[in-house]
Amino acid sequence: MSVATARETGGDAFDAVAARVSPARVGALCGVALVLGAFLSVLHEIVVVTGDPTRLYYVVGGAALAGTVLAGLIRPRTAGLLGAAAVVAGTYLYVASLPGGTEFLALLSPMLDDVFALLSGLSVLRIVNADVWAIAAAPGPVFLAWYLGLRRHYVAAGAVGAGALGVVVLTGDATVETTLAGVLGVTLAAALGDCDRRGEALRDAEGVVVVLAAMVVLTLVIGAVPGAGALFSTEGIGLGSESETMESSLVYAGENVAVTGPVELSPEVRYTVEADRAAYWRVGTYDRYTGGGWVRTGSLQNYQGPLAGPPGESAELQQRFTAETDIATLPAANKPTQIRDAPVPVQVTEAGSFQPASPLHPGESYAVESQEPTASASELRAAGSDAPPEIRERYTQLPSSVPDRVEERTSRLTANAENDYDTARVLERWFREDYGYSLDVQRPRGNVADTFLFEMDQGYCTYFATTMVTMLRTQDVPARFVTGYTTGQQVGDGEWVVRGYNSHAWVEVYFPEHGWVQFDPTPPEPREAAEQQRLSDARDDQNSDVDTNESRSTPDDPGTPDPTPTDDPNRPDPTDTPGNATPGGNLSPPGGPSGDDGGDDGTLPSVPVPTPEQVGFGLLVLAGAAVGARRTGAGSRLYREVWLRRLPDGDPGSVVAGAYHRLVHLEERAGRRKAPGETPRQFLAGADDRARRIGALYERAEYGHGVDDADAAEAAELLAELLEERSRIPHLVGRGGAGSR
């Protein structure tokens, strides 16, 4: 074979490949990949929260590889059966991971209840085995959508990806940005795929870019409309107009709690409590840390009677709560075992907290019996670390996004702690003594516990409790995040008034043979001072809902009991052991308050960095604007207007030629078309003297003895005069470059 023949054959092969891999085809496949990527990004976030995402990578890679290989080997119907088989197999694996294993298959009704709950807004993160669910849900849609895309069934591929994404949209796990990305992917797959199937050029699909950009703009506009959305809903229960109080960021979050930015204190009275003794009034517990907040896994069950108490010794505590406003919580001291006289149906979480099926109204009350663990510090030190496997697995979970430096610092701080109790006590005291309290902090990006530990030196209860639980879990100590109310203002013997600002977050640690024990790392004195200042301000403003008859006549006593069991007051504390990192030592958190935006201290204000989603959507909007300008001719007209007003740089001949060509454009815009072969003199015969002079200079430059700087300056000046008369936009000739001569 000759070299020429080889080149010709190679060129034909290249052309054949290029014909098969057209830009429209590539764009359509990118659309399929985008919708699948949106779906998989949600699964990835779920698996990152629950542990290591490596298995998800293998499953997705294997499914995509299978779709690629089988695209040229099997028919779509067979591929559809394989995709359905993958979904069935994934469902079986998930069910097999549940308590009871495959016997659960016989319980069809509970399974359907779970499905309906997911599709009506139950987050996947609330499922105990969320990681198994995410991995099981991935291979079927990935295989089938990618197979169909490679087979040029773009609409079907987009539909499969959209269906998978729709599931996680309905569960509430997909963000607005993720959902929009999926919609864009489906649109690209359908529109560009149509171009590919028809053999049309990619430019014929420019309208798609305009549509996509319009979709982005519409989404942004809708998001800016007041009331179009919110970070959380308080359902208007007991909060009035205060949508970002401490209470709304904690107690009303329901199945999840997000760590927010600055919050306010609500002084409104929520409950009056009659109890044998003071306690923290627990509302909810949360076991799954997401890196940015907390989720309560498991489902709610109807209250059927007394609940089990703690495994160890306990003391009975009788309480009666009376609602002083419309409110949707049922606080109770740890650990509640019975509830009586409830005016609404009561549900129970898997952790044993009570939840009302509907709000309580002012004056309605209920009674609770709790069994408080009574173990002393010495008994907790001797409890050991042999927690049941289900407790240890569930309450030592951490997202893979938690950096190793969190464990490293915790290990140094607790190096001299010999048991779980001392580990918790060291961290509790360290936070109280080394960190400040502030309600005015900006929520950090990334992992909250890591940022609070290394980049902040103050925060409020949510930050303290989140970080302490995270640090304990790095040491394999079972711990959970708890929300509720502190004791409140004591107004009589066994009587307390609980206000909105008493909402609080703290920590519970599990000890074998004793159960869950409270720890509170938030510094109490500044928190109580902030609450008292807020109450004083509300009273000065004569707010009527911040007091009861008893609280007005009772001296304020904000002090609350320390929930941490203590004894052996003379026992050396591990935090004071020589050689350990003590409060105030070199392990103190660096930097200033997270909310510092710069100012009088000379620091530069922080510059907000756009997220990848914002950058991508911004580029899409710009692309849509560019395509729209091209389609409407606006871009060409704008370019011509700028071109008219800028003469080229260079020698005098180039300047004169530029002036002439711009003159021709002006004359043609006025309705005089230059015929092919028509000379400048013929074309400008009916024009004014200035136009004919520019034409004469152009003929001299092109066909005569040339022009000099004076001629170039004259041509530029004459063109400027014509532009001034014929254009509505001021001219730029003579401003720099050759036109300044």
Side-chain angles (χ1 to χ4, degrees), residues 670-698:
R672 298 183 67 250
R673 305 298 299 177
K674 186 176 183 299
E678 191 175 16
T679 66
R681 185 172 303 180
Q682 292 171 334
F683 175 64
L684 298 172
D688 67 13
D689 294 341
R690 293 168 296 182
R692 291 199 301 273
R693 176 58 179 165
I694 293 175
L697 290 173
Y698 175 69

Coordinates of all heavy atoms in Angstrom, one line a residue, residues 670-698:
A670 N -27.9 53.6 4.8 CA -28.8 54.6 4.4 C -29.6 54.2 3.2 O -30.5 55.0 2.7 CB -28.1 55.9 4.1
G671 N -29.3 53.0 2.6 CA -30.2 52.5 1.5 C -29.5 52.5 0.1 O -30.1 52.1 -0.8
R672 N -28.2 52.9 0.1 CA -27.4 52.8 -1.2 C -26.5 51.6 -1.2 O -25.5 51.5 -0.5 CB -26.6 54.1 -1.4 CG -27.5 55.4 -1.4 CD -26.6 56.6 -1.7 NE -26.0 56.6 -3.0 CZ -24.7 56.4 -3.3 NH1 -23.9 56.2 -2.3 NH2 -24.3 56.3 -4.5
R673 N -26.9 50.6 -2.0 CA -26.1 49.3 -2.0 C -25.0 49.5 -3.0 O -25.2 50.0 -4.2 CB -27.0 48.2 -2.4 CG -28.2 48.0 -1.6 CD -27.8 47.7 -0.1 NE -27.0 46.4 0.0 CZ -26.5 46.0 1.1 NH1 -26.7 46.7 2.3 NH2 -25.9 44.9 1.2
K674 N -23.8 49.0 -2.7 CA -22.6 49.1 -3.6 C -22.7 47.8 -4.5 O -22.7 46.7 -4.1 CB -21.3 49.1 -2.8 CG -20.1 49.3 -3.7 CD -18.8 49.4 -2.8 CE -17.6 49.7 -3.6 NZ -17.3 48.6 -4.6
A675 N -22.7 48.1 -5.8 CA -22.8 47.0 -6.8 C -21.5 46.3 -7.0 O -20.4 47.0 -6.8 CB -23.3 47.5 -8.1
P676 N -21.4 45.0 -7.3 CA -20.1 44.4 -7.6 C -19.4 45.1 -8.7 O -20.0 45.4 -9.8 CB -20.5 42.9 -7.9 CG -21.9 42.7 -7.3 CD -22.6 44.1 -7.4
G677 N -18.1 45.3 -8.6 CA -17.3 46.0 -9.6 C -17.5 47.5 -9.6 O -16.8 48.1 -10.4
E678 N -18.3 48.0 -8.8 CA -18.5 49.5 -8.8 C -17.3 50.1 -8.1 O -16.9 49.7 -7.0 CB -19.8 49.8 -8.1 CG -20.2 51.3 -8.2 CD -21.6 51.6 -7.6 OE1 -22.0 50.7 -6.8 OE2 -22.2 52.6 -7.9
T679 N -16.7 51.2 -8.8 CA -15.6 51.8 -8.2 C -16.0 52.8 -7.1 O -17.2 53.2 -7.0 CB -14.8 52.6 -9.3 OG1 -15.7 53.7 -9.7 CG2 -14.5 51.8 -10.5
P680 N -15.1 53.1 -6.2 CA -15.4 54.1 -5.1 C -16.0 55.4 -5.7 O -16.9 56.0 -5.1 CB -14.1 54.3 -4.4 CG -13.3 53.1 -4.7 CD -13.7 52.6 -6.0
R681 N -15.4 55.9 -6.8 CA -15.9 57.1 -7.4 C -17.3 57.0 -7.9 O -18.1 57.9 -7.7 CB -14.9 57.6 -8.5 CG -15.2 59.0 -9.1 CD -14.2 59.4 -10.0 NE -12.8 59.4 -9.4 CZ -11.7 59.7 -10.0 NH1 -11.7 60.0 -11.3 NH2 -10.6 59.7 -9.3
Q682 N -17.6 55.9 -8.5 CA -19.0 55.7 -9.0 C -20.0 55.5 -7.9 O -21.1 56.1 -7.9 CB -19.0 54.4 -9.9 CG -18.2 54.5 -11.2 CD -18.1 53.2 -11.9 OE1 -18.1 52.2 -11.3 NE2 -18.0 53.3 -13.3
F683 N -19.6 54.8 -6.8 CA -20.5 54.5 -5.7 C -20.8 55.8 -5.0 O -21.9 56.0 -4.5 CB -19.8 53.5 -4.8 CG -20.6 53.2 -3.5 CD1 -21.9 52.7 -3.5 CD2 -20.1 53.6 -2.3 CE1 -22.6 52.5 -2.4 CE2 -20.8 53.4 -1.1 CZ -22.0 52.8 -1.2
L684 N -19.8 56.7 -4.8 CA -20.0 57.9 -4.0 C -20.3 59.1 -4.9 O -20.2 60.3 -4.4 CB -18.7 58.2 -3.2 CG -18.3 57.1 -2.2 CD1 -16.9 57.4 -1.6 CD2 -19.3 57.0 -1.1
A685 N -20.7 58.9 -6.1 CA -21.0 60.0 -7.0 C -22.1 60.9 -6.5 O -22.1 62.2 -6.6 CB -21.3 59.5 -8.4
G686 N -23.1 60.3 -5.8 CA -24.2 61.1 -5.3 C -24.1 61.5 -3.9 O -25.0 62.1 -3.3
A687 N -22.9 61.2 -3.2 CA -22.8 61.5 -1.8 C -22.3 63.0 -1.6 O -21.9 63.7 -2.6 CB -21.8 60.5 -1.2
D688 N -22.2 63.4 -0.3 CA -21.7 64.8 -0.1 C -20.2 64.9 -0.3 O -19.5 63.9 -0.5 CB -22.1 65.3 1.3 CG -21.5 64.5 2.4 OD1 -20.5 63.8 2.2 OD2 -21.9 64.7 3.6
D689 N -19.7 66.1 -0.2 CA -18.3 66.3 -0.5 C -17.4 65.5 0.5 O -16.3 65.1 0.1 CB -18.0 67.8 -0.3 CG -18.7 68.6 -1.4 OD1 -19.1 68.0 -2.4 OD2 -18.9 69.8 -1.2
R690 N -17.7 65.4 1.8 CA -16.9 64.7 2.7 C -16.7 63.2 2.3 O -15.6 62.6 2.4 CB -17.4 64.8 4.1 CG -17.4 66.3 4.7 CD -18.2 66.4 5.9 NE -19.6 66.2 5.7 CZ -20.6 66.3 6.6 NH1 -20.3 66.6 7.8 NH2 -21.8 66.1 6.3
A691 N -17.8 62.6 1.9 CA -17.8 61.2 1.5 C -16.9 61.0 0.3 O -16.1 60.1 0.2 CB -19.2 60.7 1.3
R692 N -17.1 62.0 -0.7 CA -16.3 61.8 -1.9 C -14.8 62.1 -1.6 O -14.0 61.4 -2.2 CB -16.8 62.8 -2.9 CG -18.2 62.5 -3.5 CD -18.4 63.2 -4.8 NE -18.3 64.7 -4.7 CZ -19.3 65.5 -4.3 NH1 -20.5 65.0 -4.1 NH2 -19.2 66.8 -4.2
R693 N -14.5 62.9 -0.6 CA -13.1 63.2 -0.3 C -12.5 61.9 0.3 O -11.3 61.6 0.0 CB -13.0 64.3 0.7 CG -11.6 64.6 1.2 CD -10.6 64.9 0.1 NE -9.3 65.2 0.6 CZ -8.2 65.2 -0.1 NH1 -8.2 64.9 -1.4 NH2 -7.0 65.5 0.4
I694 N -13.2 61.2 1.2 CA -12.7 60.0 1.7 C -12.5 58.9 0.6 O -11.5 58.2 0.6 CB -13.7 59.4 2.8 CG1 -13.7 60.3 4.0 CG2 -13.3 58.0 3.2 CD1 -14.7 59.9 5.1
G695 N -13.4 58.9 -0.4 CA -13.3 58.0 -1.5 C -12.0 58.3 -2.3 O -11.3 57.4 -2.8
A696 N -11.8 59.6 -2.5 CA -10.6 60.0 -3.3 C -9.3 59.6 -2.6 O -8.3 59.2 -3.2 CB -10.6 61.5 -3.5
L697 N -9.3 59.8 -1.2 CA -8.1 59.4 -0.5 C -7.9 57.9 -0.5 O -6.8 57.4 -0.6 CB -8.2 59.9 1.0 CG -8.2 61.4 1.2 CD1 -8.5 61.7 2.7 CD2 -6.8 61.9 0.9
Y698 N -9.0 57.2 -0.5 CA -8.9 55.7 -0.6 C -8.3 55.3 -2.0 O -7.4 54.4 -2.1 CB -10.2 55.0 -0.4 CG -10.2 53.6 -0.6 CD1 -9.6 52.7 0.3 CD2 -10.9 53.0 -1.7 CE1 -9.6 51.3 0.2 CE2 -10.9 51.6 -1.8 CZ -10.2 50.8 -0.9 OH -10.2 49.4 -1.1

